[in-house]
Amino acid sequence: MARGKKIYEGKAKVLYEGPEQGTLVQYFKDDATAFNAEKKAVIDGKGVLNNRLSEFFMTGLHNIGIPTHFLKRLNMREQLIRAAEIVPLEVIVRNYAAGSMAKRLGMEEGTQLPRPIIEFSYKDDSLGDPLVPEEYIIAFGWASQQDLDDIVAMALRVNDFLSGVMFGVGIKLIDFKIEFGRVYEGDFQRLILADEISPDSCRLWDIETGEKLDKDVFRRDLGNLTDAYTEVAKRLGVMPSNPSQMPKPTLIN
Ligand code: TMP
């Protein structure tokens, strides 16, 4: 499919104009960043894996009645999505303490939380996506109370779905980040799940060994990131082999 004009380039993805009004093409890059892009690398095959994995999760969520931006996968690195106005919040759901929460509260990583905890960061790279209380969100008009109620309800359903799917393949869902967008249907406005769901935006630990199968492998230099994501994809039956190790095409005479 012919790609339209580039609309936006983020750290891990590029958005292009889609073939029809109200659609975009989301392209998954191989770039990995951490600590607000202080650490950067190009990781062969990451974009291909995240494209597939995000398709898998978004399709499953659609099937249980959660509206998402995903329309269809176009090829190895691109998917067609609904254009949405992104709510400027990173919605983080935590089941076990890890990362910034463990650090902030001096908790041991992996400690089970009394219940899933949701937190919000204001999406602004220049500020380092600061954690914000609900009161800021409402007062500054980033989302209404009704929006927040919908977001919390959907985030908890996403958590139950992802936790169950992961548990089924021997992986513990420690935490994850999701984003929401607004779409307009006539006078009616609603929120849909947007962005991506992939090991870039989740913490995934092997239930038996505690091995990390997510972007912490890159953040903390724990090994090969593509191998970790390939393991997740293989267990979920999404992709059989490591795309960075696939033979390159050869010319046939
Ligand atoms: P944190 O513990 O560093 O706050 O991260 C919580 C979750 O959010 C974790 O699953 C990683 C994910 N995350 C992102 O997707 N993007 C980000 O920019 C950050 C900081 C975290």
Side-chain angles (χ1 to χ4, degrees):
M1 185 188 311
R3 250 196 235 145
K5 210 172 72 207
K6 191 196 276 191
I7 306 276
Y8 173 82
E9 178 154 5
K11 287 177 286 209
K13 299 186 292 297
V14 188
L15 294 176
Y16 298 93
E17 260 174 8
E20 283 167 46
Q21 180 80 13
T23 66
L24 295 172
V25 172
Q26 177 165 258
Y27 175 95
F28 287 78
K29 301 193 279 187
D30 278 342
D31 301 27
T33 64
F35 315 119
N36 208 8
E38 269 173 41
K39 179 170 179 170
K40 286 188 211 177
V42 176
I43 313 247
D44 247 12
K46 181 176 85 85
V48 174
L49 283 153
N50 282 354
N51 185 25
R52 286 281 190 159
L53 284 162
S54 202
E55 171 191 21
F56 175 80
F57 295 125
M58 293 283 182
T59 305
L61 288 164
H62 166 82
N63 289 341
I64 63 158
I66 294 180
T68 85
H69 74 165
F70 179 82
L71 294 171
K72 68 171 177 177
R73 190 170 56 80
L74 298 171
N75 54 46
M76 297 276 274
R77 287 186 183 273
E78 293 176 324
Q79 46 184 245
L80 187 68
I81 59 169
R82 281 189 77 173
E85 192 182 287
I86 295 294
V87 176
L89 296 173
E90 301 208 329
V91 179
I92 295 158
V93 184
R94 301 181 187 271
N95 298 307
Y96 298 83
S100 65
M101 173 190 247
K103 198 168 165 194
R104 190 177 314 116
L105 301 180
M107 292 172 85
E108 191 181 337
E109 288 205 305
T111 309
Q112 187 162 20
L113 301 173
R115 62 176 175 82
I117 292 179
I118 300 184
E119 64 187 42
F120 303 98
S121 293
Y122 177 54
K123 256 175 83 68
D124 185 329
D125 280 341
S126 66
L127 300 173
D129 299 337
L131 188 66
V132 289
E134 283 196 26
E135 189 147 14
Y136 286 21
I137 299 171
I138 313 283
F140 293 122
W142 299 326
S144 66
Q145 185 63 58
Q146 177 63 54
D147 287 341
L148 275 187
D149 292 348
D150 288 352
I151 285 174
V152 167
M154 281 197 268
L156 288 173
R157 290 198 68 205
V158 172
N159 185 41
D160 285 347
F161 176 83
L162 292 180
S163 294
V165 167
M166 289 302 180
F167 184 74
V169 295
I171 293 173
K172 198 145 73 169
L173 180 64
I174 301 294
D175 57 28
F176 62 94
K177 184 267 298 184
I178 45 177
E179 296 183 23
F180 290 87
R182 283 178 229 285
V183 290
Y184 298 88
E185 284 150 10
D187 288 342
F188 191 68
Q189 184 208 111
R190 67 193 181 113
L191 290 167
I192 61 174
L193 189 61
D195 193 51
E196 71 178 280
I197 300 182
S198 74
D200 265 13
S201 50
C202 301
R203 283 198 175 91
L204 306 169
W205 293 7
D206 181 86
I207 287 178
E208 293 292 321
T209 64
E211 186 190 356
K212 292 181 172 58
L213 300 170
D214 57 65
K215 203 163 100 178
D216 274 346
V217 171
F218 168 71
R219 293 190 191 98
R220 304 179 187 188
D221 295 319
L222 300 175
N224 182 310
L225 192 73
T226 319
D227 286 349
Y229 289 20
T230 300
E231 177 64 22
V232 176
K234 270 209 273 200
R235 289 198 200 182
L236 292 169
V238 173
M239 207 151 54
S241 60
N242 183 330
S244 71
Q245 287 163 12
M246 278 199 284
K248 300 268 182 278
T250 48
L251 276 178
I252 300 168
N253 293 315

